[in-house]
């Protein structure tokens, strides 16, 4: 099974979680153009960085990324507007996917603590882009949302958020999610942004 994730560092992180769930599958994160400069930075390419083994599962080249997406059985991507990415916009991803591929979209996480409704901006983007998984809804309706932690900018989150997004992905793709023991083991790695980002 070949799996592609695409988007920001959030999608790169999510790729690591998918790899923990499905270690026998090929799973790579594809960088949109706006983040390809990361490919020249050791903090994104070294296994000694916070990205650890994920550094070996990233594609920072447009053509290589497109080819990988075209050959993938599953595509998980953050919806990107055409004005932001000429090669990896949500319209292009749908065109690249082979007919048998299962494709799932989600939004960029931005939990804005500086306003009275931290989810407002995310909700507005989700209304505009109509992703398959609305992360704002996941956050607002989750029974254990008090365990969801975000950094000051609201763009980096803790392992619980990533695990619950992965749980949603598993439901959509009919994948078997971690058991309780595995969940705790993965959660306690606090990958990659720490327990309290």
């Amino acid at each position: 099974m070949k799996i592609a994730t695409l988007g920001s560092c959030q999608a790169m992180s999510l790729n690591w979680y998918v790899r923990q769930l499905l270690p026998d599958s090929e799973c790579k994160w594809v960088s949109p153009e706006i983040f390809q400069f990361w490919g020249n930075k050791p903090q994104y390419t070294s296994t000694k960085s916070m990205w650890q083994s994920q550094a070996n599962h990233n594609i920072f080249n447009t053509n290589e990324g497109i080819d990988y997406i075209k050959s993938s059985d599953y595509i998980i991507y953050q919806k990107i507007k055409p004005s932001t990415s000429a090669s990896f916009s949500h319209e292009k991803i749908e065109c690249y996917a082979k007919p048998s591929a299962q494709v799932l979209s989600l939004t960029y996480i931005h939990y804005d603590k500086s306003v009275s409704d931290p989810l407002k901006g995310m909700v507005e983007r989700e209304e505009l882009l109509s992703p398959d998984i609305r992360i704002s809804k996941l956050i607002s309706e989750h029974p254990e949302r008090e365990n969801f932690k975000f950094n000051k900018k609201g763009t980096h989150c803790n392992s619980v958020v990533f695990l619950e997004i992965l749980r949603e992905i598993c439901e959509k793709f009919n994948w078997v999610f971690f058991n309780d023991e595995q969940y705790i083991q993965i959660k306690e790695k606090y990958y990659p942004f720490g327990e309290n980002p």
Side-chain angles (χ1 to χ4, degrees), residues 78-92:
Q78 290 176 302
K79 277 199 162 181
I80 303 171
K81 294 184 286 188
S83 59
T84 304
S85 174
S87 298
F88 297 107
S89 69
H90 58 92
E91 295 165 352
K92 293 280 190 177

Side-chain angles (χ1 to χ4, degrees), residues 4-13 28-36 38 59-60 69 76-80 88 93 106-108:
T5 63
L6 170 85
S8 69
C9 57
Q10 298 164 1
M12 187 194 303
S13 304
K28 293 187 178 182
W29 171 76
V30 176
S31 172
E33 302 98 309
I34 55 173
F35 301 121
Q36 287 181 357
W38 291 348
I59 298 173
F60 291 105
I69 290 167
I76 304 162
Y77 72 103
Q78 290 176 302
K79 277 199 162 181
I80 303 171
F88 297 107
I93 299 304
L106 42 94
T107 46
Y108 178 76

Side-chain angles (χ1 to χ4, degrees), residues 16 19 41-58 191:
W16 182 88
R19 288 182 32 248
K41 297 185 176 269
Q43 64 259 41
Y44 295 98
T45 58
S46 170
T47 56
K48 294 183 172 138
S49 71
M50 68 185 256
W51 297 104
Q52 303 163 17
S53 63
Q54 178 55 41
N56 294 326
H57 300 276
N58 297 332
Y191 184 86

Side-chain angles (χ1 to χ4, degrees), residues 74-76 102-104 168-175:
Y74 293 89
I75 303 166
I76 304 162
Q102 294 193 49
V103 182
L104 188 64
E168 291 276 318
I169 291 167
C170 287
E171 287 177 16
K172 300 276 189 188
F173 283 156
N174 212 16
W175 291 347

